[in-house]
Amino acid sequence: MFSNQEKKIIATAGGGGDSLLKSVGAAGGSAVIAVTFIHPIDVVKTRLQVGGKYAQLGIGGTASVIAKEEGVISFWKGIGPAWLREASYTSLRLGLYSPIKSALGADKPDSWFIMKFAAGSLAGGLGSLVGNPFDVLKTQMMTADGDKVPTLGEAAAAMYKNQGIGGFYRGLEANVARAMVLNGTKMSCYDQIKQMIKSSGVVPDGIPTQFASAMGAGFFMATTVAPFDMVRTRLMNQPPDAKIYSGAFDCVGKIMAAEGPGGFYRGFFPIWMRFAPTTCLQLIIFEQLRGVLGMKSM
């Protein structure tokens, strides 16, 4: 039923109370809590990336226009699919990291950084496959202008009617690539920075070390993920009756031709503003929940 590698992952997850279900559950809980607070930043970031009138307004101008024209509650447009996305995608990409890292033999103090990156990338890719439909719906709802926000059911029904099942997997290739780079960077940098801080003894152990490690990981995430995030947003937000890009590579080429390399980093600051607090909240809450569930620290 399972391959030898899958059996190894399950076995290593079960050792010492480090159960796979506990790990995934703790990851999902931390992600849902974190996204509730961070979602407004994601709405502003997505509007900036889509372009149109928001491209010239900047962060403050975009936030001001959204609040004035659509109301404060509009900063939580798409929160329903965001919760579902975090409960599926993030629960797997965080929760599977430790089991996969153990299976790859990268759970030792002298393990190579690239092996930790590989573990994070594999977990991110698997999570992205599951969470893509919710990611598409979230993007569609966040970019909806006006004060009438479609419900999750309405958005899903409209997506299925206009584009069929394939619409829910729009931008899948870019999303999987983004998830692998994002999670590989996030988990490996967090793991490595935390190990270095513990060795130095400069920062007290526990939450202070977790916070410093997560802040560092958030910066590196924003730097590596911004181009993938731009391509993913453009692909997912294409109108159903006027396809602009044939795929991820076509999107990259057109952004480069029209906007230059800087086009891939439009919205970089709100991306970093989102990643830094999100990473801190997610990983600190995740570590605390692991402790509550009798699991060892990452």
Side-chain angles (χ1 to χ4, degrees), residues 31 71 85 129 184 228 275:
R85 174 185 181 269
L129 289 172
F228 294 94
F275 277 161

Side-chain angles (χ1 to χ4, degrees), residues 238-261:
Q238 293 184 92
D241 56 345
K243 200 169 184 181
I244 302 170
Y245 312 106
S246 61
F249 290 107
D250 182 51
C251 184
V252 168
K254 288 179 176 175
I255 292 174
M256 178 66 77
E259 306 171 44

Side-chain angles (χ1 to χ4, degrees), residues 134-156:
F134 302 119
D135 219 1
V136 172
L137 291 173
K138 183 190 78 165
T139 301
Q140 292 282 321
M141 292 174 72
M142 285 195 302
T143 54
D145 284 324
D147 54 6
K148 187 181 186 307
V149 184
T151 65
L152 177 59
E154 289 171 346

Side-chain angles (χ1 to χ4, degrees), residues 83-267:
W83 282 331
L84 292 173
R85 174 185 181 269
E86 297 304 312
S88 55
Y89 163 57
T90 304
S91 65
L92 292 177
R93 70 184 176 92
L94 287 186
L96 292 178
Y97 173 68
S98 290
I100 293 176
K101 185 176 72 167
S102 297
L104 294 177
D107 54 349
K108 302 171 182 62
D110 59 346
S111 297
W112 288 1
F113 175 82
I114 191 65
M115 296 304 291
K116 297 175 182 178
F117 184 88
S121 294
L122 284 172
L126 290 170
S128 183
L129 289 172
V130 176
N132 202 83
F134 302 119
D135 219 1
V136 172
L137 291 173
K138 183 190 78 165
T139 301
Q140 292 282 321
M141 292 174 72
M142 285 195 302
T143 54
D145 284 324
D147 54 6
K148 187 181 186 307
V149 184
T151 65
L152 177 59
E154 289 171 346
M159 176 70 69
Y160 182 75
K161 180 181 179 181
N162 294 327
Q163 302 176 52
I165 293 295
F168 293 98
Y169 290 91
R170 177 194 286 178
L172 179 64
E173 56 190 0
N175 213 19
V176 170
R178 173 188 180 276
M180 293 182 74
V181 173
L182 181 150
N183 211 56
T185 304
K186 176 179 185 174
M187 301 310 294
S188 59
C189 287
Y190 176 76
D191 208 337
Q192 196 73 20
I193 294 171
K194 184 179 174 185
Q195 183 179 325
M196 292 169 63
I197 290 175
K198 281 188 169 182
S199 299
S200 69
V202 173
V203 179
D205 199 9
I207 290 180
T209 291
Q210 294 163 11
F211 177 82
S213 304
M215 283 293 289
F219 174 78
F220 289 111
M221 285 165 63
T223 303
T224 57
V225 169
F228 294 94
D229 205 52
M230 173 60 75
V231 173
R232 180 194 68 152
T233 300
R234 293 286 180 90
L235 287 171
M236 288 184 172
N237 202 54
Q238 293 184 92
D241 56 345
K243 200 169 184 181
I244 302 170
Y245 312 106
S246 61
F249 290 107
D250 182 51
C251 184
V252 168
K254 288 179 176 175
I255 292 174
M256 178 66 77
E259 306 171 44
F264 294 102
Y265 285 91
R266 179 187 290 173

